[in-house]
Amino acid sequence: SRPPWVTDTVPYGVGRQLLADIWYPCTSDPATLKTCRQSHLIASEVIHAMCVNFNVPKWLMGHMALAKTNAFIDAPLDQSAVGSNGCPVVIFAHGLGGLRMQNTSLLEELASRGYVCVAADFPYDATLVVFPDGEQAQFIFLQDGPTAVLPQELLAFRRRCIQHRAADLHFIRQKLADMHANPADSLYGALDCALPALIGHSYGGGTVVEAAQSGPASAVVMLDGWLFCNSRASAERGVDVPLLSLRCPTFLNDRDEFCFSNAQLTDLLCARSRVCESVVMPIGHYDFTDIVWIAPIIFRFFGLMDIKPSQRREVHDFVVGSVANFLDRHYPTNVDNKGHKLEPPQCASLSLERQDPPRLPGLLEDGDFEWTEAQLKTVKEAAALVAKGEEAWPSTGSVLLPRGCGLADLAEQLQVFMASHTLESIRRQLAAQLAKLGVYFPDEESDRLPPQAPPGVRRQFVRADSASEIGGLYPPRLK
């Protein structure tokens, strides 16, 4: 049982429970495997619960329960795969709203190469967890988040969430160590779990970075990892173990202020890490998972699949091959697996950008920088709202920006989302961008508008002692 998720009031018991799957190298004897049950990708009861909870017709998702994997339940361990130090261990972390089985094909491939892989659902930020006793842990990540708070408070809340997830990974490692030491366990003596490799997709990518910065790990793999919740300080710190980053050019197409600084944060993390390999792939966020195989028409219809069906095999082989190659080279006790080496995989149909060594983004000094389209869109929305004296923040509706805020206030709030930029550079560039929109803020010291403001603007500017006195388009900062 784990500590409660974020708050003390959760719908499942007094604490959280982790439901995990373990993949390991098993015997290849056909006669033995005939006595074992082949695993399904997603259990029928989970599919049924998802249809009920999300009000989706069962005929739309029911076929997913028919998808079988290459794994056999409770098959005997292949003792010949157990090296002198045990099998290398991999722990996988799914993304926000993800599932533990979402990257089964990757974990199966690693298991076939001698790794023991573990993936658990994170209750309350997984899409849905159905426990063996029928109890459910539903997705409450967004509902239980703070509302009507400043961006700094929201970031602090998200930081607590990701720290909970990282602690769960350390808990899993400890449980594996207990299994390794238990003579009654089927994996007794077979687990080299002192320094596990950590793999995460999306929010899970941020989770494994947090876990590697707070506990033991041998290597970290991010599949389009999301680093907003980790903060700039985490990216500046980097990781002290080998890091592989496979990512999209933008995170979820820079759809909101929680996403649009992610590529820059990832570049910063890579540049600050001891050893890093980075590849930018022109694919979609969910193309790193197995959903492209089990429901391509459905997920393409809902915009969750970017690649063409004809590209699935090549993209899958590149991602799996890159991860396997990386772990084979960097797992510290892989001396027993030298025969499994892969050549660096190729992906002929896609234009890949290999960053070797990773570039340090030119965003760390107080010089000029290029705004992304999403950042400019948010600045324009923020300017329009502040100009009208409204209490709101664009896109999310959950973050408040006080009426009558000044340039420094706006820059400070914006920096939470543009975490890869310094406050001074945001402030200076923000003033320049707003000036193009005809919006000017008074100087912080003199309360005077900048010289470049046209005369008409000077006449419209009225100093206000309260938000209700703000008029025109040029609110001063509050005193």
Side-chain angles (χ1 to χ4, degrees), residues 9-21:
T9 56
V10 294
Y12 189 82
V14 296
R16 294 175 301 117
Q17 298 187 32
L18 299 182
L19 185 62
D21 289 332

Side-chain angles (χ1 to χ4, degrees), residues 102-392:
Q102 67 175 55
N103 284 77
T104 290
S105 61
L106 168 62
L107 303 181
E108 284 183 339
E109 172 64 23
L110 293 176
S112 74
R113 298 162 62 84
Y115 293 84
V116 173
C117 304
V118 184
D121 286 319
F122 295 100
Y124 311 113
D125 65 18
T127 294
L128 177 70
V129 186
V130 180
F131 294 93
D133 61 3
E135 292 283 353
Q136 298 181 12
Q138 300 188 17
F139 182 75
I140 62 172
F141 182 88
L142 298 179
Q143 298 92 303
D144 275 25
T147 58
V149 296
L150 291 174
Q152 289 91 337
E153 295 169 290
L154 180 66
L155 179 59
F157 170 75
R158 298 300 190 222
R159 286 285 300 141
R160 293 200 304 273
C161 294
I162 209 164
Q163 288 165 354
H164 270 251
R165 289 170 61 105
D168 285 346
L169 297 190
H170 298 319
F171 174 77
I172 291 171
R173 184 186 70 85
Q174 183 56 55
K175 287 299 180 183
L176 292 174
D178 294 343
M179 295 168 63
H180 175 76
N182 183 4
D185 196 281
S186 59
L187 295 178
Y188 170 64
L191 303 175
D192 175 22
C193 47
L195 293 171
L198 307 176
I199 303 176
H201 172 252
S202 190
Y203 194 43
T207 300
V208 296
V209 168
E210 177 72 23
Q213 291 177 334
S214 60
S218 63
V220 170
V221 175
M222 293 196 307
L223 304 178
D224 207 27
W226 183 40
L227 298 178
F228 166 74
C229 301
N230 297 69
S231 77
R232 171 174 171 153
S234 172
E236 283 273 18
R237 178 180 172 186
V239 292
D240 293 330
V241 297
L243 168 67
L244 171 64
S245 170
L246 304 179
R247 69 168 176 86
C248 306
T250 62
F251 186 80
L252 291 174
N253 297 317
D254 282 344
R255 69 184 183 190
D256 58 36
E257 56 268 37
F258 295 100
C259 300
F260 64 27
S261 198
N262 197 68
Q264 299 152 347
L265 278 175
T266 302
D267 284 348
L268 176 57
L269 175 76
C270 290
R272 296 301 195 207
S273 297
R274 183 170 60 87
V275 176
C276 180
E277 298 174 22
S278 175
V279 181
V280 180
M281 304 179 64
I283 64 176
H285 181 66
Y286 299 99
D287 295 336
F288 287 97
T289 73
D290 289 345
I291 68 169
V292 298
W293 295 101
I294 61 174
I297 296 177
I298 296 174
F299 289 115
R300 196 170 181 84
F301 176 80
F302 287 108
L304 300 178
M305 176 178 167
D306 287 42
I307 58 174
K308 301 175 182 177
S310 59
Q311 295 176 304
R312 290 180 299 178
R313 171 55 63 185
E314 189 174 23
V315 169
H316 170 270
D317 289 350
F318 178 83
V319 171
V320 171
S322 296
V323 174
N325 177 281
F326 181 79
L327 295 184
D328 279 351
R329 287 184 285 114
H330 291 292
Y331 200 94
T333 58
N334 258 0
V335 293
D336 299 310
N337 292 326
K338 294 299 184 183
H340 293 285
K341 295 294 184 188
L342 275 179
E343 292 300 320
Q346 303 299 318
C347 199
S349 69
L350 298 176
S351 176
L352 304 177
E353 180 187 351
R354 295 182 185 272
Q355 300 178 2
D356 188 19
R359 62 171 181 263
L360 183 66
L363 313 169
L364 307 183
E365 305 300 329
D366 286 338
D368 294 347
F369 57 82
E370 293 293 326
W371 296 75
T372 68
E373 290 185 11
Q375 288 168 346
L376 280 174
K377 178 176 179 289
T378 297
V379 168
K380 291 177 181 178
E381 292 177 356
L385 293 169
V386 173
K388 292 186 291 186
E390 294 185 4
E391 283 189 336

